[in-house]
Amino acid sequence: MRSMMYTSGHRLVVMSYSAGFCSCPALTQQWFQAGFLVVTTSSPKNVLNIRHWVNQDTSISILIFKLCGHPMSPCVTQTSLNLFRIRSLNRFTCLTISLSRASLADMLPVLVVHGGAGFIPKERVQMSCAGVQAAVRGGYSKLQGQGSAMDAVVEAVTLLENDHHYNAGLGSVLNAKGEVEMDAIVMDGRYLASGAVSAVRKVANPVQLARLVMDKTSHLCLTGEGASQFARSMGVPEVPEESLITEYARMRWKKNLAADANPVECQMGKMGTVGAVAVDAEGNIACATSTGGMLNKMEGRVGDTACIGCGGYADNRVGAVSPTGEGEAIMKVTLARLILFHMEQGRSVEAAADEALAYMKDRVGGLGGVVVVDPQGEWSVRFSSLQMAWAAAQQQTLHYGLYTGEHFTQNIDDPY
Amino acid sequence: LLTFLSSPVIVVHCSAWAIPDDMAKASVDGVKSTATAGFLAMKRGGSALDAVELSVRALEDNPTFDADHGAVLNTNGEVELDSIIMDGRTLAAGAVSSVKTISNPVSLARAVMEKTDHIMLTDRGANMFAESVGIPAVPTNTLVTECERTEREKAKNYAVEVKEGHDTVGAVAVDCSGNVACATSTGGIRNKMVGSGGYADNLSWAVSCTCHGESILKVTLARLFHVEQGKRAPEAVEVSLRYMGDRVRGGGAILVSRTGEWAAKFTTERMAWAAVEREVLWYGLNPKEEFKETLRQ
């Protein structure tokens, strides 16, 4: 028997059918932790077809035990990529299927970070790329230090909130009145726990406040004045609004106020929402997203970021998504949840993201970008806008890019 | 995508929870009369969107239900209301969260959808917008019943919230043009995020959900039905509620498809619901109940 080195979330879909064979209801959609799937059959019959649904570099060894527990040589033929036929001998009562994934241990942990999809003007490109790389290094070091996926995504997003080049925390865009109102969400894929804040003012790190909502309340989202009250009760310091406003943000706001302002042009060049997805060494999955929202938005406007399923979703069984882009469009199609639906139907991390982004563009005319990860540590970065600054860390390798199709790598320990 | 239905369909609910016996009749009567009114509006040529707004307004105005005039107070003694409305044809949506002193949040949500470029407004900003479109503020004490004030006095002695906030109200409808729409409104625990408390898409269903808001959010209940596109309506609801029950806890949902199929299911103790299709009024309260009567006009 090969050694088992895989984590929770590894999915095996088993269907058994043949004349007279009773399918075991316990088999369909089994998720298992330890790596064994033990099936007891009620009626010994000749042929058992087993279809599995895992990544290609997973191998299956199937052992058949007789009633007395002694292993027999299995008569297994692989009829196609996913289908195994086992011609059992008489009277088997216990079928053990073991999966081994030799390379899974190397795929985890993984962290993917984005700094917003949109159009980044030339003079801001370099700092935009530098910021996501610094954030991914910061978050990844948490993972390497046995930190959880949640610790990693919160760390990465905190670093981006503190970096004034992004539309989150410091550097947030201004609403119509020239004020800062921020949204943020975190989600923990283990129990589907989540915390979010919407239209919150005067806190330096909304993503951390969102995490407090998740950890310290029985609610999933707090808004506006209620969120500020909660922050005070948690001892989160209130910061002056001025401390979150940059010259660049103010300049863009003023430009957009002009009667003849071109709204499309004004949304361009805004630094985007920031976000991260991660899988830790235990196989737990998390996501986090944070934003100052839309340039010159109405007071109290809440976009996709604070809305679970839209601005982020994480589920240990399926994966995690953090999106960015046109908030209202993302909400209309509940983009994060949509991508995970496609993955549940068997699409890869790239295909699921591409299909959902194309649907969003087609159905509601919105552009955006996402970072996606699955329980096996597969990840993707896809966007329908011109650019998205992103970076990922896995197996001591730093990956990064800006324009569609770009994918640079270097050793993570090499200097910037 | 043009479908012409011979009959519009509407389903309304007023929350899935253990409705006490002394509220049972009022709850069932409330949903029956509301469903009837919504159906007649569509028969007269109104859209699904008009029907769900009208229905949820009627439910909001009914003090038996939490949604507005029976709203639960928060820890500050204020009424905070959430609401969402969604148009399945274009996926346009409007939502408000934490609005105070508004009589009919569902109409405010519709104004957000139709009069702004945004989908959701919250807190002060939502109230300011209401003022700007001429939706009047009403004093808090008209939104709070005596019953709720007493409950709150009792609950004040506890550090953690004891009242879970019941009585969300909602409606889903499909009109004769085959357009679906949904609307949901509550004074209770927040579940009005798009995709959770409600979702409407002409390509699949219109859904409105109820029960423990946080649980609905965790599984984005309204959006789950997307996956069940190939199934018949009742099966789709059952599968999704079972998933929610497995991962978090029980809830309730109503849905309608653009072809006029509908369902009302719940895994809580009770849910008062009513539906009208082809001049027949269906309704129920306890699990498995499905009474019918001819529509009285």
Side-chain angles (χ1 to χ4, degrees):
Chain A
M1 205 179 295
R2 311 258 283 271
S3 63
M4 270 66 65
M5 287 188 289
Y6 48 92
T7 60
S8 64
H10 215 79
R11 182 163 77 173
L12 179 73
V13 174
V14 180
M15 285 169 41
S16 61
Y17 51 92
S18 83
F21 194 92
C22 311
S23 63
C24 287
L27 283 192
T28 51
Q29 298 287 327
Q30 276 285 351
W31 298 85
F32 51 97
Q33 296 275 348
F36 283 95
L37 177 65
V38 179
V39 171
T40 4
T41 69
S42 55
S43 124
K45 273 295 176 180
N46 294 341
V47 174
L48 173 64
N49 286 329
I50 297 184
R51 178 154 52 119
H52 77 103
W53 197 350
V54 295
N55 288 349
Q56 290 97 304
D57 54 353
T58 302
S59 61
I60 283 193
S61 58
I62 298 175
L63 306 172
I64 303 176
F65 291 81
K66 261 169 67 173
L67 181 61
C68 54
H70 293 305
M72 309 161 57
S73 50
C75 305
V76 180
T77 34
Q78 185 162 7
T79 58
S80 69
L81 182 62
N82 286 352
L83 207 64
F84 292 80
R85 172 170 286 163
I86 300 168
R87 292 200 181 282
S88 80
L89 307 175
N90 294 330
R91 295 194 308 277
F92 74 83
T93 58
C94 177
L95 176 69
T96 302
I97 302 168
S98 70
L99 301 186
S100 79
R101 172 114 192 232
S103 60
L104 187 67
D106 295 336
M107 297 286 279
L108 304 183
V110 60
L111 172 67
V112 194
V113 163
H114 70 76
F119 170 68
I120 303 166
K122 239 192 209 124
E123 63 273 13
R124 293 179 74 87
V125 156
Q126 204 227 340
M127 293 314 295
S128 186
C129 293
V132 289
Q133 290 175 38
V136 86
R137 286 171 198 271
Y140 194 64
S141 68
K142 291 268 176 196
L143 289 171
Q144 289 175 305
Q146 308 310 314
S148 66
M150 179 59 64
D151 293 333
V153 297
V154 171
E155 174 68 15
V157 171
T158 297
L159 290 170
L160 293 169
E161 283 173 337
N162 295 342
D163 184 332
H164 68 96
H165 295 98
Y166 301 95
N167 176 16
L170 169 64
S172 287
V173 301
L174 307 183
N175 71 10
K177 284 176 75 177
E179 298 160 344
V180 174
E181 289 181 296
M182 301 168 284
D183 305 336
I185 192 171
V186 298
M187 186 162 184
D188 182 340
R190 263 177 314 169
Y191 309 115
L192 305 185
S194 176
V197 289
S198 66
V200 71
R201 297 171 187 253
K202 302 184 186 166
V203 297
N205 294 104
V207 72
Q208 294 188 7
L209 187 58
R211 187 177 186 175
L212 285 172
V213 172
M214 177 176 77
D215 291 341
K216 306 280 185 195
T217 78
S218 58
H219 299 316
L220 261 65
C221 183
L222 293 180
T223 187
E225 184 49 41
S228 296
Q229 259 183 40
F230 171 67
R232 281 194 285 275
S233 75
M234 290 283 116
V236 172
E238 184 175 290
V239 302
E241 186 155 70
E242 281 304 306
S243 67
L244 299 172
I245 300 181
T246 58
E247 270 318 299
Y248 184 73
R250 206 186 290 280
M251 182 267 290
R252 297 229 57 93
W253 170 74
K254 277 209 187 101
K255 247 187 162 172
N256 212 13
L257 286 179
D260 58 352
N262 178 331
V264 173
E265 196 199 293
C266 290
Q267 289 300 335
M268 278 165 35
K270 68 177 177 74
M271 302 307 284
T273 299
V274 301
V277 293
V279 191
D280 60 31
E282 309 281 303
N284 291 318
I285 300 187
C287 71
T289 314
S290 179
T291 187
M294 204 168 122
L295 190 58
N296 290 61
K297 62 187 174 176
M298 285 175 71
E299 188 177 342
R301 178 264 191 184
V302 179
D304 64 291
T305 298
C307 299
I308 190 171
C310 302
Y313 200 81
D315 182 348
N316 268 18
R317 297 182 189 179
V318 195
V321 178
S322 170
T324 166
E326 297 177 31
E328 275 70 12
I330 291 173
M331 289 164 99
K332 288 178 180 180
V333 303
T334 55
L335 185 63
R337 196 65 184 89
L338 185 60
I339 291 175
L340 293 172
F341 278 140
H342 290 320
M343 286 162 66
E344 282 176 300
Q345 310 299 310
R347 306 267 198 301
S348 69
V349 286
E350 292 91 1
D354 284 341
E355 192 167 324
L357 286 170
Y359 173 75
M360 186 168 94
K361 187 169 173 182
D362 202 39
R363 187 91 199 262
V364 296
L367 299 180
V370 290
V371 292
V372 184
V373 74
D374 81 6
Q376 285 74 45
E378 301 281 348
W379 56 272
S380 73
V381 172
R382 314 300 273 188
F383 45 100
S384 47
S385 54
L386 184 65
Q387 296 146 312
M388 184 168 87
W390 65 272
Q394 185 177 46
Q395 294 172 260
Q396 290 306 110
T397 305
L398 175 72
H399 307 249
Y400 58 96
L402 178 67
Y403 290 95
T404 311
E406 276 185 354
H407 187 156
F408 303 113
T409 55
Q410 67 177 68
N411 187 304
I412 201 163
D413 294 321
D414 287 349
Y416 289 74
Chain B
L1 196 81
L2 281 180
T3 335
F4 290 96
L5 293 185
S6 53
S7 166
V9 180
I10 185 165
V11 193
V12 311
H13 73 76
C14 70
S15 198
W17 64 296
I19 301 172
D21 289 337
D22 60 0
M23 286 173 69
K25 181 166 193 307
S27 301
V28 174
D29 287 346
V31 291
K32 282 168 76 177
S33 63
T34 302
T36 305
F39 179 79
L40 294 175
M42 284 193 286
K43 262 195 83 181
R44 288 191 294 265
S47 65
L49 202 61
D50 293 333
V52 300
E53 187 196 352
L54 180 168
S55 302
V56 171
R57 279 184 70 103
L59 295 167
E60 281 170 344
D61 291 340
N62 187 330
T64 315
F65 311 126
D66 166 337
D68 183 32
H69 288 76
V72 171
L73 298 174
N74 70 7
T75 50
N76 281 355
E78 300 164 314
V79 172
E80 288 186 306
L81 309 166
D82 303 338
S83 191
I84 186 175
I85 189 167
M86 188 161 183
D87 179 351
R89 195 174 47 98
T90 57
L91 302 187
V96 289
S97 80
S98 255
V99 277
K100 304 176 177 47
T101 68
I102 298 288
S103 204
N104 292 102
V106 72
S107 297
L108 184 57
R110 186 168 185 180
V112 173
M113 176 172 80
E114 293 176 341
K115 304 201 162 125
T116 76
D117 294 327
H118 299 316
I119 288 187
M120 184 165 174
L121 294 180
T122 187
D123 202 26
R124 231 171 56 190
N127 272 92
M128 280 172 50
F129 171 66
E131 242 183 82
S132 76
V133 292
I135 292 178
V138 298
T140 302
N141 58 17
T142 63
L143 299 177
V144 181
T145 60
E146 226 8 82
C147 172
E148 173 51 26
R149 273 208 205 283
T150 331
E151 286 295 306
R152 188 161 182 279
E153 281 306 311
K154 280 196 262 176
K156 246 180 173 166
N157 299 321
Y158 301 95
V160 294
E161 81 212 31
V162 274
K163 192 146 198 184
E164 290 204 331
H166 51 94
D167 279 351
T168 300
V169 297
V172 293
V174 59
D175 56 34
C176 290
S177 311
N179 292 319
V180 302
C182 72
T184 314
S185 200
T186 187
I189 290 183
R190 169 180 327 284
N191 72 342
K192 294 306 145 279
M193 298 295 184
V194 181
S196 294
Y199 197 80
D201 183 354
N202 271 12
L203 297 182
S204 55
W205 322 93
V207 184
S208 168
C209 308
T210 174
C211 194
H212 188 236
E214 273 67 11
S215 304
I216 291 177
L217 283 172
K218 287 180 181 181
V219 301
T220 59
L221 185 62
R223 203 61 178 95
L224 278 186
F225 300 93
H226 162 94
V227 196
E228 318 301 344
Q229 275 176 50
K231 299 196 170 64
R232 307 308 307 270
E235 201 195 330
V237 187
E238 270 167 23
V239 168
S240 303
L241 285 177
R242 202 179 317 135
Y243 173 81
M244 178 167 147
D246 282 345
R247 296 211 72 182
V248 279
R249 55 188 274 188
I254 53 174
L255 87 169
V256 75
S257 78
R258 63 181 166 83
T259 54
E261 266 196 283
W262 62 271
K265 298 269 176 209
F266 50 100
T267 48
T268 48
E269 290 181 46
R270 282 177 159 171
M271 180 175 88
W273 62 271
V276 184
E277 184 195 9
R278 287 178 217 283
E279 317 293 321
V280 176
L281 171 68
W282 302 82
Y283 60 97
L285 176 69
N286 295 303
K288 306 252 195 296
E289 275 179 359
E290 233 180 55
F291 301 115
K292 73 190 234 208
E293 21 181 276
T294 333
L295 195 64
R296 271 164 284 206
Q297 307 211 8

